[in-house]
Amino acid sequence: MRQLFVAILGALLLGSCATSVMSEKECLAGDWYGAGFADGAAGKFETSFEERAIACQEHDVGADQRAYFDGRRAGLDRLCTEPGGFDYGRAGENYLGVCGRDREEGFLAGYISGQRIFAAEASRNAAESAYDSAVSRVNGYRDDIRRARKRLSDPESTEKEIKRARKDLDYARDNLPDAERDVDATLYELGRADEAFEQTISSSNAWAQSREFAAIHAGLREAHEFARAHDGVDFCTDDFEGYYTRCEIRYGARLTDSGTGAVCAVGPGEARFLRRVLPRGRGARQTYEFFPVDPENGRRARRPVGGFDVLFAENGDYQGIACNAGL
């Protein structure tokens, strides 16, 4: 059953990358329960229903909202578990806070572990790609040397062809030693990446009991709680390396200091996680840098313009915002 779910999830995620709307054939089939299930299991927002409904309007086909959301709930039931979170993270997907607080703890536990393995595998694949490229360069230079020698030994070669062959031969000979050293170096790195990948898998259970895991888990839960609690936040996700979250701030939203009423940031913009501290006996404090977005062209500022702290109680409840004058 677990393997079946992994296969289903993979197919759903692949489909979600290909298109976010309904084809004419899908609209006419009218499987709105299945569409909702697919979107729920793929961790999509509720607004996916509107996208599908609009697409079907173009084909003069109505939408079944009740069936869709019944299916979506079933899809979320499948996704929002620890095994579902592991498969989601293992597939390299980024969580958007759709499970809700009640089911998020278990989901994130699996999700973080799955993402850790995905990242290790991605590093291993990158090392293999670098090694393959190095081998390809060596083979290319060796082929160039063979072709040049063949041309030079051909009595029918013209003077121009001989001159070109000598040039190619010299170039290949000069670069081949470096290319061969690159093969050795990338092979060594591939071996290290293989070892790291295997170690990541074998240490998964122990790592899930570590302080690092607990800090990441708490930080992600707090970020998604912030998105749920503040109307000005569209969503938070963690698509930066190292589980660093970013939060999309809605157009016109004003993030104000809960104590002074001062305006810390005005949307649209992107808040990027900077650090998390635990003041003694006062819960957690997450610091974000704010990058405004130009509403006319959608371009995000390259540099932050101020920032703010998000405050949480010891139980993870959102408590408010404090402008950070030091950013």
Side-chain angles (χ1 to χ4, degrees):
M1 180 64 71
R2 173 69 178 277
Q3 292 178 338
L4 176 61
F5 175 53
V6 174
I8 292 173
L9 178 63
L12 293 175
L13 295 176
L14 181 62
S16 70
C17 293
T19 179
S20 60
V21 296
M22 302 273 276
S23 67
E24 182 177 9
K25 183 177 180 180
E26 289 172 328
C27 291
L28 293 173
D31 183 12
W32 286 94
Y33 181 93
F37 182 90
D39 289 346
K44 291 187 174 183
F45 292 125
E46 291 184 356
T47 53
S48 294
F49 169 75
E50 298 173 8
E51 296 174 2
R52 289 181 180 273
I54 291 172
C56 286
Q57 283 180 356
E58 297 177 0
H59 305 296
D60 295 323
V61 178
D64 188 336
Q65 184 174 13
R66 181 174 181 178
Y68 176 88
F69 281 98
D70 284 345
R72 174 181 168 79
R73 281 189 290 272
L76 289 174
D77 288 342
R78 181 67 65 85
L79 173 67
C80 299
T81 63
E82 186 168 344
F86 178 86
D87 294 334
Y88 200 71
R90 184 69 180 81
E93 294 299 313
N94 299 109
Y95 176 57
L96 300 173
V98 297
C99 288
R101 183 170 182 174
D102 292 342
R103 296 188 290 186
E104 210 160 59
E105 182 172 359
F107 171 86
L108 286 176
Y111 172 73
I112 294 167
S113 295
Q115 270 209 340
R116 178 171 176 259
I117 295 176
F118 171 82
E121 185 177 38
S123 295
R124 190 265 172 207
N125 291 342
E128 183 178 37
S129 178
Y131 171 71
D132 289 342
S133 296
V135 170
S136 179
R137 286 195 297 273
V138 166
N139 291 337
Y141 288 135
R142 288 173 177 170
D143 288 341
D144 290 343
I145 290 172
R146 283 192 292 268
R147 283 193 294 266
R149 285 174 173 170
K150 183 178 180 180
R151 179 64 65 188
L152 291 172
S153 64
D154 186 351
E156 297 184 0
S157 295
T158 65
E159 183 177 346
K160 183 177 181 180
E161 289 173 335
I162 291 174
K163 183 177 180 181
R164 178 65 183 179
R166 285 174 177 166
K167 185 177 181 180
D168 291 344
L169 181 61
D170 289 342
Y171 182 83
R173 281 175 171 172
D174 289 344
N175 286 278
L176 181 58
D178 285 342
E180 290 174 333
R181 283 190 288 271
D182 284 343
V183 168
D184 292 337
T186 54
L187 180 60
Y188 172 75
E189 293 299 329
L190 176 56
R192 292 185 61 188
D194 274 331
E195 183 179 350
F197 179 46
E198 293 172 2
Q199 185 177 11
T200 298
I201 294 175
S202 63
S203 65
S204 289
N205 291 336
W207 185 73
Q209 306 301 318
S210 68
R211 291 184 178 181
E212 181 184 16
F213 175 91
I216 293 171
H217 188 278
L220 292 183
R221 286 193 69 188
E222 290 163 0
H224 293 298
E225 182 64 16
F226 171 46
R228 284 187 290 268
H230 199 295
D231 291 339
V233 182
D234 191 10
F235 66 89
C236 293
T237 188
D238 58 299
D239 55 2
F240 285 93
E241 186 176 354
Y243 306 98
Y244 286 0
T245 53
R246 67 174 179 85
C247 299
E248 295 292 329
I249 310 303
R250 301 180 191 273
Y251 176 82
R254 298 167 66 86
L255 277 62
T256 58
D257 190 299
S258 303
T260 66
V263 177
C264 306
V266 179
E270 182 177 288
R272 293 186 183 178
F273 175 86
L274 187 62
R275 58 180 172 266
R276 177 177 183 264
V277 297
L278 299 171
R280 184 174 297 180
R282 291 189 293 168
R285 175 187 293 260
Q286 291 196 17
T287 299
Y288 287 84
E289 294 179 311
F290 183 68
F291 294 77
V293 171
D294 189 325
E296 294 186 0
N297 57 31
R299 293 177 181 173
R300 185 186 64 241
R302 294 184 177 181
R303 296 182 179 181
V305 179
F308 53 87
D309 295 337
V310 185
L311 313 178
F312 300 92
E314 291 186 68
N315 65 354
D317 285 348
Y318 167 74
Q319 290 190 316
I321 291 175
C323 296
N324 193 318
L327 295 177

